[in-house]
Amino acid sequence: MISKIIEFFSDSGKLIISPEELFYLRGQKKGFYGILSVVFYLAFLSLMIGILLQDLTFGVVVGVIAIIFTLIFKFIHAVTIHIFAKVLFGGDGKLLACYNLICYPSCLYIFLIVGLALTVLNKMFLFPVILLVILWQFVIVITAVATEYGMDFGKAFLSTYGLWLIILAILMGIV
């Protein structure tokens, strides 16, 4: 049991240091540490929000809603990535492995937790941290898709976000 906990946290650290190595190793084994990281880090983040707002009930409710919404959204995202990567670019990967790997960037919520703790010193500190975490998550998800489907980063970007951005640009041009 303790070795599983240590492995979970070492995977979190490995994601920050070397995501390609982590995704390669996780692609070789079956597991659900990515999905577990969504649950753990969002629960911890919502606990911090509840403590800062001095309302733990609110924090727990926000945490449960955030976990459910995030898991559903990430699954829908994994399905679209899988379709784009398989059909358009001929990638070789599995849907559930993709789902697990794109859940791993939630480990970066640890920086949001630290940012929330530092809002005691300066409230403006949180905005750059949020921006950095979002951009870093984009890069890590693209790395996960490239590793899982065995494609280059350009095709992985198009499978992950690029096609949605093109569709959004066309829709905005029509409206």
Side-chain angles (χ1 to χ4, degrees), residues 15 19 23 104-105 108 135-145:
L15 177 82
F23 296 144
Y104 266 108
L108 297 176
L135 291 174
W136 201 352
Q137 283 181 333
F138 283 167
V139 171
I140 290 177
V141 169
I142 293 167
T143 305
V145 171

Side-chain angles (χ1 to χ4, degrees), residues 42-113:
L42 275 178
F44 195 38
L45 183 62
S46 65
L47 178 66
M48 278 296 292
I49 290 171
I51 289 171
L52 286 174
L53 295 176
Q54 297 177 349
D55 188 3
L56 286 179
T57 306
F58 177 76
V60 169
V61 170
V62 166
V64 169
I65 292 170
I67 289 169
I68 292 170
F69 175 77
T70 302
L71 288 175
I72 291 171
F73 176 76
K74 295 252 185 206
F75 185 74
I76 293 169
H77 193 201
V79 168
T80 59
I81 289 170
H82 185 73
I83 290 170
F84 289 150
K86 281 272 199 187
V87 173
L88 293 177
F89 301 115
D92 186 32
K94 296 180 181 118
L95 174 64
L96 293 179
C98 177
Y99 178 53
N100 186 45
L101 291 182
I102 68 168
C103 286
Y104 266 108
S106 62
C107 295
L108 297 176
Y109 292 155
I110 194 71
F111 295 110
L112 293 178
I113 294 165

Side-chain angles (χ1 to χ4, degrees), residues 87-173:
V87 173
L88 293 177
F89 301 115
D92 186 32
K94 296 180 181 118
L95 174 64
L96 293 179
C98 177
Y99 178 53
N100 186 45
L101 291 182
I102 68 168
C103 286
Y104 266 108
S106 62
C107 295
L108 297 176
Y109 292 155
I110 194 71
F111 295 110
L112 293 178
I113 294 165
V114 171
L116 278 173
L118 291 176
T119 58
V120 174
L121 301 174
N122 186 356
K123 303 245 187 269
M124 294 303 295
F125 184 76
L126 192 58
F127 178 73
V129 172
I130 291 172
L131 187 62
L132 177 68
V133 166
I134 289 171
L135 291 174
W136 201 352
Q137 283 181 333
F138 283 167
V139 171
I140 290 177
V141 169
I142 293 167
T143 305
V145 171
T147 304
E148 175 61 25
Y149 289 96
M151 56 179 58
D152 62 13
F153 284 98
K155 290 178 181 177
F157 169 75
L158 288 175
S159 296
T160 308
Y161 301 113
L163 295 174
W164 289 113
L165 292 174
I166 291 170
I167 292 169
L168 181 66
I170 291 170
L171 289 176
M172 290 179 74

